[in-house]
Amino acid sequence: MDYGVKASHFTPVGNALLYTLKQGLGEKWNPELRQAWVDTFRVVATVMKAHSFSH
């Protein structure tokens, strides 16, 4: 399956996601929550890259 995504898209999208979550969650945003989202996005990106760029 081709998502139409380039490898160069993942970093800015991940950064935008983290920024949006930080803004939306305000005081609830903390280092542990940030790391959980970084880890989650990394898994999603890894799976998407494996299916987009190897097939």
Side-chain angles (χ1 to χ4, degrees), residues 21-35:
L21 289 166
K22 180 179 179 180
Q23 296 305 307
L25 292 171
E27 292 181 10
K28 294 178 184 175
W29 187 249
N30 61 50
E32 294 81 14
L33 189 54
R34 181 188 183 282
Q35 189 60 53

Side-chain angles (χ1 to χ4, degrees), residues 28-49:
K28 294 178 184 175
W29 187 249
N30 61 50
E32 294 81 14
L33 189 54
R34 181 188 183 282
Q35 189 60 53
W37 275 101
V38 167
D39 294 344
T40 299
F41 186 76
R42 187 172 290 132
V43 169
V44 170
T46 299
V47 171
M48 288 181 70
K49 288 176 185 179

